[in-house]
Amino acid sequence: MSVEALPVADDRTWGPAVLTRYHDALSRGLPLRISDETGATLSFDVGRWLRSSDADDETVLARCTGPTLDIGCGPGRLVRALLVRGVPALGVDVSEAAVGIARRNGASALRRSVFDELPGEGRWTSALLVDGNIGIGGNAPRLLSRVRDLLAPGGHVLVEVESGSAYVHFTAIVRGPDGEAVGSFPWIRIGAVPLTALAEPLGFTLTETWSSDHRHFVGLRRW
């Protein structure tokens, strides 16, 4: 699929009904139930996001040695962990509920889209796209281009990816408590190889890949 055929990348494609379901999942610590167009069930592990950073997260946090922007920060566990380490960090998220939780837990967070004007543009040492957030907007090239502009020259983005070489565009359909569809948004799932192939023409160099337990990550440095 060509870049031109993809949706305009924007995390504001989460409409009110989707954000309401996300808020409900946050308040109860339950997975956000979604499915793709084929009916296959997917899940965002909201409960894990509400807990403190775990051993897998620590492999990402250890690579953040300067000011770090967490894109799609959710309840802010990674921002909070970085601040405890003494690393300047800021989270951004479109969910008012998630940002509220992050702030109450001591994380610095803004309710804002990654495509809005943000503090420190062009000066961030690190950016995070974890917990599936490379899927924001369903358009990885446009998202990576935006992240490149947020980073300082030589800065890097740490991305959580799928295992293998998957690169799948789909519409995530959000389900209510009784299984009814309440909203949808464009999303992607992508592995390390196709992500690197997309990123290199946009001004990134692959620096490393690593795995921790069942999670997989890629480091990309801005030229």
Side-chain angles (χ1 to χ4, degrees):
M1 185 179 295
S2 69
V3 174
E4 291 75 16
L6 296 175
V8 175
D10 196 330
D11 40 357
R12 287 166 295 205
T13 52
W14 282 45
V18 174
L19 288 172
T20 296
R21 289 296 301 138
Y22 181 38
H23 186 184
D24 182 55
L26 283 171
S27 65
R28 300 168 63 191
L30 298 175
L32 183 64
R33 298 173 56 200
I34 65 174
S35 61
D36 64 16
E37 299 99 319
T38 70
T41 300
L42 306 169
S43 180
F44 290 148
D45 189 358
V46 174
R48 178 172 63 82
W49 302 346
L50 288 164
R51 296 190 289 271
S52 298
S53 57
D54 59 23
D56 301 333
D57 294 328
E58 290 297 319
T59 68
V60 177
L61 299 172
R63 290 166 164 82
C64 300
T65 57
T68 299
L69 182 68
D70 185 5
I71 298 165
C73 66
R77 77 183 191 284
L78 301 182
V79 175
R80 186 171 67 251
L82 287 169
L83 293 173
V84 168
R85 289 168 177 255
V87 177
L90 175 69
V92 294
D93 201 288
V94 294
S95 166
E96 181 178 8
V99 168
I101 293 171
R103 290 174 175 172
R104 289 194 295 274
N105 289 337
S108 301
L110 293 176
R111 186 190 179 194
R112 201 167 296 182
S113 164
V114 64
F115 297 98
D116 290 336
E117 183 177 352
L118 295 175
E121 295 207 13
R123 300 196 299 276
W124 292 99
T125 301
S126 303
L128 304 181
L129 286 169
V130 300
D131 299 327
N133 282 329
I134 185 61
I136 287 173
N139 188 325
R142 288 197 178 107
L143 178 58
L144 288 170
S145 295
R146 174 58 176 151
V147 173
R148 177 198 61 212
D149 294 341
L150 292 167
L151 289 170
H156 64 179
V157 56
L158 306 174
V159 186
E160 186 168 357
V161 295
E162 298 290 316
S163 61
S165 57
Y167 185 19
V168 181
H169 300 263
F170 64 98
T171 299
I173 302 168
V174 180
R175 302 289 176 181
D178 58 1
E180 84 283 10
V182 299
S184 64
F185 55 91
W187 207 250
I188 69 164
R189 299 171 63 192
I190 190 168
V193 172
L195 177 66
T196 302
L198 288 176
E200 287 179 341
L202 298 174
F204 289 97
T205 299
L206 175 68
T207 57
E208 60 178 331
T209 62
W210 76 98
S211 297
S212 180
D213 197 9
H214 299 297
R215 296 171 66 190
H216 309 280
F217 304 92
V218 169
L220 300 167
R221 191 166 300 280
R222 178 186 165 179
W223 294 346

